[in-house]
Amino acid sequence: MKTKPISDAETLELTSVPNTMNYELIQTLVDNYRNNHLVAIKDKLDIDDAHSIHFSLATLKKFITDIETETQKNNPEVTEEDLGIRFYYAAYPTTENWSVMANTPIGTEYAERHTLVMIPTLKKEDENGDLLSYDFNPLEGSEGEFMAMASNKKSGPSGEVMSQNHGALNPPNQVKVELF
């Protein structure tokens, strides 16, 4: 990625302490999800839904590197600060509608469970001059293709879109070690 020279302020930021959250806050957030959303899903839909998903560091690094590499191929003016990743909450289809999953290695034990889909974003000015992060397919054209993923949009790109999905979802995976 093309980057600008690092200033003293940016150097300080790079060497600062990692982002953290208080343990009790994390536990409260996780418990709120499990005690409200998961219970409602079980009661209303009779689904033992997933409560966590794990992606290896190698998978995440590769996805980030792919975004940077493909973007640079098509638009070398884009900087690291212009790029991001949007995480969409998603759910796998029912077993009756599993045919859409035919070209994936994902089995029907994942049917109807929550998952995450990660989509690259690129900052672009809107009609008001505000710099916003738009869903972006680095595999398309000289500037990539901006996508309409919002629910009020009726059409979007067709074909392959750079994305990441399907980590180790629990359940159905029976993770032996989990803290929260």
Side-chain angles (χ1 to χ4, degrees):
M1 289 299 310
K2 184 187 282 188
T3 59
K4 59 187 177 195
I6 297 175
S7 69
D8 289 338
E10 289 169 320
T11 301
L12 179 62
E13 185 177 321
L14 292 174
T15 60
S16 67
V17 297
N19 292 338
T20 64
M21 289 173 64
N22 178 280
Y23 174 87
E24 288 82 14
L25 174 58
I26 297 168
Q27 190 65 62
T28 298
L29 297 174
V30 171
D31 289 347
N32 283 343
Y33 179 78
R34 289 184 178 167
N35 295 332
N36 296 304
H37 297 264
L38 279 181
V39 170
I41 291 167
K42 178 65 176 165
D43 289 349
K44 286 279 195 185
L45 302 174
D46 197 30
I47 297 170
D48 289 321
D49 203 1
H51 62 265
S52 68
I53 188 168
H54 173 265
F55 292 94
S56 72
L57 197 54
T59 297
L60 294 172
K61 284 181 176 183
K62 181 185 181 311
F63 185 56
I64 291 167
T65 299
D66 289 347
I67 293 168
E68 292 173 334
T69 302
E70 294 302 320
T71 299
Q72 283 298 293
K73 283 181 189 176
N74 292 319
N75 191 346
E77 298 303 312
V78 173
T79 66
E80 188 174 279
E81 292 79 18
D82 296 327
L83 297 171
I85 299 173
R86 189 177 324 277
F87 290 72
Y88 280 96
Y89 302 119
Y92 290 110
T94 62
T95 53
E96 294 80 21
N97 295 314
W98 203 254
S99 61
V100 300
M101 303 295 292
N103 294 325
T104 72
I106 303 168
T108 56
E109 66 273 19
Y110 291 90
E112 300 182 75
R113 296 181 197 272
H114 275 102
T115 188
L116 293 174
V117 176
M118 292 178 251
I119 302 290
T121 63
L122 179 64
K123 288 183 182 173
K124 178 182 172 186
E125 280 190 28
D126 71 359
E127 61 278 355
N128 299 321
D130 295 322
L131 198 57
L132 303 175
S133 294
Y134 287 84
D135 291 349
F136 171 67
N137 186 6
L139 301 175
E140 295 290 329
S142 63
E143 291 188 25
E145 183 174 340
F146 290 95
M147 300 180 293
M149 298 295 275
S151 59
N152 62 345
K153 304 292 181 182
K154 298 296 181 206
S155 65
S158 60
E160 297 296 312
V161 172
M162 185 179 286
S163 58
Q164 181 67 52
N165 172 243
H166 198 63
L169 201 61
N170 187 29
N173 293 325
Q174 296 304 312
V175 175
K176 303 239 184 301
V177 178
E178 212 175 38
L179 180 61
F180 290 100

